[in-house]
Amino acid sequence: MKGAVLYGPRDIRFEERDAPRIVEPTDAILRLSATCICGSDLWPYRGISPVAEPTPMGHEYCGIVEEVGKAVKSIRPGQFVIGSFATSDNTCPHCRYGYQSSCVHREFMSGARAPVLRVPHADGTLVATPELPPAEMIPSLLAVSDVLGTGWFAAVAADVQPGKTAVVVGDGAVGLLGVLAARQLGAQRVIAMSRHPARQQLAREFGATDIVTERGDAGVARIKELTKGVGADSVLECVGTQESMMQAIHATRPGGSVGYVGVPHGVEFHGEELFYTHVRLHGGPAPVRRFLPDLIDLVWKGKINPGKVFDLTLPLDQVAEGYRAMDERRAIKTLLRP
Ligand SMILES: [Zn+2]
C-alpha cells in the first residue's frame, strides 16, 4: 500500500509502505474511510520539531474494522469505528480517572495517512458507531477523532459553564471547534479571536457571539473592554506559542481558568507573574477517548456538524498539496480520502 511519509522540512512523500498486520493480540486492523492533516503536523512540516528519520504521518482516523487480534473482545470486524491519536487500555487508573491520553499503555498513533491502519489496544481505544454511517456523516465522525475532541477538552479544562463567558485564542481548526464546544457546554458568550474573514464566519456558525481581531496586549485590552474590565471566566488556548499563552492568561479573570491544548513551543512561565494572576491552568494532550461516546452521539443525532471545519478535500495521493494549503493558510483543515 502507499502512505504519507515525512522526510524533512516541507518534504512529504506518498510512497510504498508495508501494509500493517496484527502484531499484538489486542490489535485491530482498520480500512480507513477518511483521514486528515492536523495543525500539529505543521510543526514538523515546518522544521520547528525536527524529524530524525522518515516518519509515517497521520493520527486522525475512522473506518471499518477488517481484522482483530485474538484477545479483542468488544470490537468486531465490519464495525465502523473511531479512535484518538493516543491509544489506551481504558482500564488503568489514569484511564478510569478520565485521562486516557496518559494511559500506562499509551502509544501515540502515527501512519494513519494510508488506506490501512493498525490500532493497538483496540478494545480500549476504539468506539463503534451504532451502525454504518451515511457517507455525508464521515467528515464529522473523523473530526471527533482529534480536532473536536481536543477543542472539547480545551473547553472542559477551561471549566466552561452555562451562562458564562468563554474566549477562544486561535482560529485554527481546534480553536474553531473549541468555539462549538464552549457553546455546547452552555457558555452564553463565546468570543473568538481571529483576523481571517472565512474563519470568523465559521466561528460564528459554530456559535461565536463576538469576534476580536486584535492580538497580544491589544487583544487582551479588547477582551477586558467586552467583559466590563473583569476578564473572561474561561479561556481556551489553542495555539501553543508564548504570545498566545500570555494572551490567554491575561484575558482570564482572577479565579478563572485557561484550558490549553496548543502543543507548547518555546512557552515559558514567570512564576511570580503567574502567582499574582490567580488563574488556573489545565491542559495537555486531550483525553479524547473520554469524550468519544458523547461526541459520536451528538454527531449521530445531527446535533453538531464539526465536519464543516474541513474546507479542502483531496485524494490521499495529493497529501503534499494538502500540507501546502494548510501551511499557507489557504485551507483550515484538509480531509484526505484513501
Ligand atoms: Zn489506561
Coordinates of all heavy atoms in Angstrom, one line a residue, residues 294-327:
D294 N -19.9 10.4 23.8 CA -20.8 11.5 23.8 C -20.8 12.3 22.5 O -21.8 12.7 21.9 CB -20.6 12.5 25.0 CG -21.0 11.9 26.3 OD1 -21.7 10.8 26.3 OD2 -20.6 12.4 27.3
L295 N -19.5 12.5 22.0 CA -19.4 13.3 20.8 C -19.9 12.6 19.6 O -20.5 13.1 18.7 CB -17.9 13.7 20.6 CG -17.4 14.6 21.7 CD1 -15.9 15.0 21.4 CD2 -18.2 15.9 21.9
I296 N -19.7 11.2 19.5 CA -20.2 10.4 18.4 C -21.7 10.5 18.4 O -22.4 10.7 17.4 CB -19.7 9.0 18.5 CG1 -18.2 8.9 18.2 CG2 -20.5 8.0 17.6 CD1 -17.6 7.6 18.5
D297 N -22.3 10.4 19.6 CA -23.8 10.5 19.8 C -24.3 11.9 19.3 O -25.3 11.9 18.6 CB -24.1 10.3 21.3 CG -25.6 10.1 21.5 OD1 -26.2 9.2 20.8 OD2 -26.2 10.9 22.3
L298 N -23.6 13.0 19.6 CA -24.1 14.3 19.1 C -24.1 14.4 17.6 O -25.0 14.9 17.0 CB -23.2 15.4 19.7 CG -23.4 15.7 21.2 CD1 -22.3 16.7 21.7 CD2 -24.8 16.3 21.5
V299 N -23.0 13.8 17.0 CA -22.9 13.8 15.5 C -24.0 12.9 15.0 O -24.7 13.2 14.0 CB -21.5 13.3 15.1 CG1 -21.5 13.0 13.6 CG2 -20.5 14.3 15.4
W300 N -24.1 11.7 15.6 CA -25.1 10.7 15.1 C -26.5 11.3 15.1 O -27.3 11.0 14.1 CB -25.0 9.4 15.9 CG -25.6 8.2 15.3 CD1 -26.8 7.7 15.5 CD2 -25.0 7.4 14.3 NE1 -27.0 6.6 14.7 CE2 -25.9 6.4 13.9 CE3 -23.7 7.5 13.6 CZ2 -25.6 5.5 12.9 CZ3 -23.4 6.5 12.7 CH2 -24.3 5.5 12.4
K301 N -26.9 12.0 16.1 CA -28.2 12.6 16.2 C -28.3 13.9 15.4 O -29.4 14.6 15.5 CB -28.5 12.8 17.7 CG -28.8 11.5 18.4 CD -29.0 11.7 19.8 CE -29.4 10.4 20.5 NZ -29.1 10.4 21.9
G302 N -27.3 14.3 14.7 CA -27.3 15.6 13.9 C -27.3 16.8 14.7 O -27.7 17.9 14.2
K303 N -26.9 16.8 16.0 CA -26.9 18.0 16.8 C -25.8 18.9 16.6 O -25.8 20.1 16.8 CB -27.0 17.6 18.3 CG -28.3 17.0 18.6 CD -28.5 16.7 20.1 CE -29.9 16.1 20.4 NZ -29.9 15.4 21.7
I304 N -24.7 18.3 16.1 CA -23.5 19.2 15.8 C -22.9 18.7 14.4 O -23.2 17.5 14.0 CB -22.4 19.1 16.8 CG1 -21.9 17.6 17.1 CG2 -22.8 19.7 18.1 CD1 -20.7 17.5 18.0
N305 N -22.3 19.6 13.7 CA -21.7 19.3 12.4 C -20.3 19.7 12.3 O -19.9 20.6 11.6 CB -22.6 19.9 11.3 CG -22.2 19.5 9.9 OD1 -21.4 18.6 9.7 ND2 -22.8 20.1 8.9
P306 N -19.4 19.1 13.2 CA -18.0 19.6 13.2 C -17.2 19.4 11.9 O -16.2 20.0 11.7 CB -17.4 18.8 14.3 CG -18.2 17.5 14.4 CD -19.6 18.0 14.0
G307 N -17.8 18.5 11.0 CA -17.1 18.3 9.7 C -17.0 19.5 8.8 O -16.2 19.5 7.9
K308 N -17.8 20.5 9.2 CA -17.7 21.8 8.4 C -16.3 22.4 8.5 O -16.0 23.3 7.7 CB -18.7 22.8 8.9 CG -20.1 22.6 8.4 CD -21.0 23.9 8.5 CE -21.5 23.9 9.9 NZ -22.6 25.0 10.0
V309 N -15.5 22.0 9.4 CA -14.2 22.5 9.6 C -13.2 22.1 8.4 O -12.2 22.8 8.2 CB -13.6 22.1 11.0 CG1 -13.0 20.7 10.9 CG2 -12.6 23.1 11.4
F310 N -13.6 21.1 7.7 CA -12.8 20.6 6.5 C -13.2 21.5 5.4 O -14.3 21.3 4.8 CB -13.0 19.2 6.2 CG -12.6 18.2 7.3 CD1 -13.5 17.6 8.1 CD2 -11.2 18.0 7.5 CE1 -13.1 16.7 9.1 CE2 -10.8 17.2 8.6 CZ -11.7 16.5 9.3
D311 N -12.4 22.4 4.9 CA -12.7 23.2 3.8 C -11.9 22.8 2.5 O -11.9 23.5 1.5 CB -12.5 24.7 4.1 CG -11.1 25.0 4.6 OD1 -10.3 24.1 4.8 OD2 -10.8 26.2 4.6
L312 N -11.2 21.7 2.6 CA -10.5 21.2 1.5 C -10.5 19.7 1.6 O -10.2 19.1 2.6 CB -9.0 21.7 1.5 CG -8.1 21.2 0.3 CD1 -8.7 21.6 -1.0 CD2 -6.7 21.6 0.5
T313 N -11.0 19.0 0.5 CA -10.9 17.5 0.5 C -10.1 17.1 -0.8 O -10.3 17.6 -1.9 CB -12.4 17.0 0.3 OG1 -13.1 17.4 1.5 CG2 -12.4 15.5 0.2
L314 N -9.2 16.2 -0.5 CA -8.3 15.8 -1.6 C -8.2 14.2 -1.5 O -8.3 13.6 -0.5 CB -6.9 16.4 -1.4 CG -6.7 17.9 -1.6 CD1 -5.3 18.3 -1.2 CD2 -7.0 18.3 -3.0
P315 N -7.9 13.6 -2.7 CA -7.5 12.2 -2.6 C -6.2 12.1 -1.9 O -5.3 13.0 -1.9 CB -7.3 11.8 -4.1 CG -7.3 13.0 -4.9 CD -7.8 14.2 -4.0
L316 N -6.0 11.0 -1.2 CA -4.8 10.8 -0.3 C -3.5 11.0 -1.1 O -2.5 11.5 -0.5 CB -4.8 9.4 0.3 CG -3.7 9.0 1.3 CD1 -3.6 10.0 2.5 CD2 -4.0 7.6 1.9
D317 N -3.4 10.6 -2.3 CA -2.2 10.8 -3.1 C -1.8 12.2 -3.3 O -0.6 12.5 -3.7 CB -2.2 10.0 -4.4 CG -3.2 10.4 -5.4 OD1 -3.9 11.4 -5.1 OD2 -3.4 9.8 -6.4
Q318 N -2.7 13.2 -3.0 CA -2.3 14.6 -3.1 C -2.0 15.2 -1.7 O -2.2 16.4 -1.4 CB -3.4 15.4 -3.8 CG -3.5 15.1 -5.3 CD -4.6 15.8 -6.0 OE1 -4.9 17.0 -5.6 NE2 -5.3 15.1 -6.9
V319 N -1.6 14.4 -0.8 CA -1.3 14.8 0.6 C -0.3 16.0 0.7 O -0.5 16.9 1.5 CB -0.8 13.6 1.4 CG1 0.5 13.0 0.8 CG2 -0.5 14.0 2.9
A320 N 0.6 16.0 -0.3 CA 1.6 17.2 -0.2 C 0.9 18.5 -0.5 O 1.2 19.5 0.2 CB 2.7 16.9 -1.3
E321 N 0.0 18.5 -1.4 CA -0.8 19.7 -1.6 C -1.7 20.1 -0.4 O -1.9 21.2 -0.1 CB -1.7 19.6 -2.9 CG -2.7 20.7 -3.1 CD -2.2 22.1 -3.1 OE1 -1.0 22.3 -3.3 OE2 -3.0 23.0 -2.9
G322 N -2.2 19.1 0.3 CA -3.0 19.3 1.5 C -2.1 20.0 2.6 O -2.6 20.9 3.2
Y323 N -0.9 19.6 2.7 CA 0.0 20.3 3.7 C 0.3 21.7 3.2 O 0.2 22.6 4.1 CB 1.4 19.5 3.7 CG 1.5 18.5 4.8 CD1 1.1 17.2 4.5 CD2 2.0 18.7 6.0 CE1 1.2 16.2 5.5 CE2 2.1 17.8 7.0 CZ 1.7 16.5 6.7 OH 1.8 15.5 7.7
R324 N 0.6 21.9 1.9 CA 0.9 23.2 1.5 C -0.3 24.2 1.7 O -0.1 25.3 2.2 CB 1.2 23.2 0.0 CG 2.7 22.8 -0.3 CD 3.1 23.1 -1.8 NE 2.3 22.3 -2.7 CZ 2.6 21.1 -3.2 NH1 3.7 20.5 -2.8 NH2 1.8 20.5 -4.1
A325 N -1.5 23.7 1.4 CA -2.6 24.5 1.6 C -2.8 25.0 3.1 O -3.2 26.1 3.3 CB -3.9 23.8 1.1
M326 N -2.5 24.1 4.0 CA -2.7 24.4 5.4 C -1.5 25.3 5.9 O -1.7 26.2 6.6 CB -2.8 23.2 6.3 CG -4.2 22.6 6.2 SD -4.3 21.0 7.1 CE -4.1 21.5 8.8
D327 N -0.3 25.0 5.4 CA 0.9 25.8 5.7 C 0.7 27.2 5.3 O 1.1 28.1 6.1 CB 2.1 25.1 5.0 CG 3.4 25.9 5.4 OD1 3.6 26.3 6.5 OD2 4.2 26.0 4.4

